[in-house]
């Protein structure tokens, strides 16, 4: 049976192996600091990229003047049909249903 001394097996070479990083603490701290700076740099780059992307999008609430937002809501509330059936409109129409279709720039 293995004998345990001070919480470690006798066969274990260095009972302080997990603390050996402290021997080069300055190097360890520098490495961790570099990793943190790199992560911070990447975060800033992504944030700038998202802000640039937002500027390219048209967002009515942001890009239109204040009164335009209310106008936009009113326009969204409008509908084409105002309660009249299409038969009503056709029966009162004075347009020629057999007329040629209008095409801008074409002379008949």
């Amino acid at each position: 049976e293995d004998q345990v001394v001070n919480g470690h097996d006798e066969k274990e070479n260095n009972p302080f192996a997990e603390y050996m990083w402290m021997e080069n603490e300055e190097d360890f701290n520098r490495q961790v600091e570099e990793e943190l700076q790199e992560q911070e740099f990447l975060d800033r780059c992504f944030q700038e990229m998202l802000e640039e992307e937002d500027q390219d999008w048209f967002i009515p609430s942001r890009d239109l003047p204040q009164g335009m937002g209310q106008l936009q809501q009113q326009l969204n509330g409008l509908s084409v049909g105002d309660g009249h059936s299409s038969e009503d409109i056709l029966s009162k129409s004075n347009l020629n249903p057999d007329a040629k279709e209008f095409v801008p720039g074409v002379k008949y």
Side-chain angles (χ1 to χ4, degrees):
E1 289 185 17
D2 294 333
Q3 189 176 14
V4 176
V5 179
N6 293 333
H8 294 282
D9 293 337
E10 265 187 35
K11 290 183 178 179
E12 190 174 326
N13 292 340
N14 186 353
F16 301 103
E18 64 185 279
Y19 302 104
M20 290 308 290
W21 65 269
M22 291 181 178
E23 181 179 10
N24 300 319
E25 189 171 359
E26 291 82 18
D27 291 338
F28 178 79
N29 287 343
R30 181 182 43 76
Q31 180 184 355
V32 170
E33 191 171 324
E34 286 175 2
E35 289 172 4
L36 290 173
Q37 288 173 347
E38 183 178 343
Q39 184 61 43
E40 185 179 324
F41 175 74
L42 289 173
D43 290 344
R44 282 197 318 264
C45 287
F46 275 115
Q47 189 62 38
E48 286 178 22
M49 182 183 67
L50 290 173
E51 288 170 5
E52 286 176 11
E53 194 173 271
D54 280 347
Q55 290 172 1
D56 292 342
W57 290 91
F58 175 75
I59 302 172
S61 61
R62 180 193 71 195
D63 297 332
L64 292 176
Q66 289 297 347
M68 293 296 286
Q70 293 172 346
L71 182 61
Q72 184 75 24
Q73 288 176 346
Q74 291 172 350
L75 287 173
N76 288 341
L78 294 178
S79 65
V80 175
D82 57 353
H84 299 294
S85 69
S86 60
E87 288 85 23
D88 275 349
I89 295 171
L90 291 176
S91 66
K92 294 177 184 176
S93 172
N94 59 1
L95 298 176
N96 179 1
D98 299 323
K100 291 183 180 178
E101 182 178 344
F102 172 73
V103 179
V106 174
K107 294 183 180 182
Y108 296 100

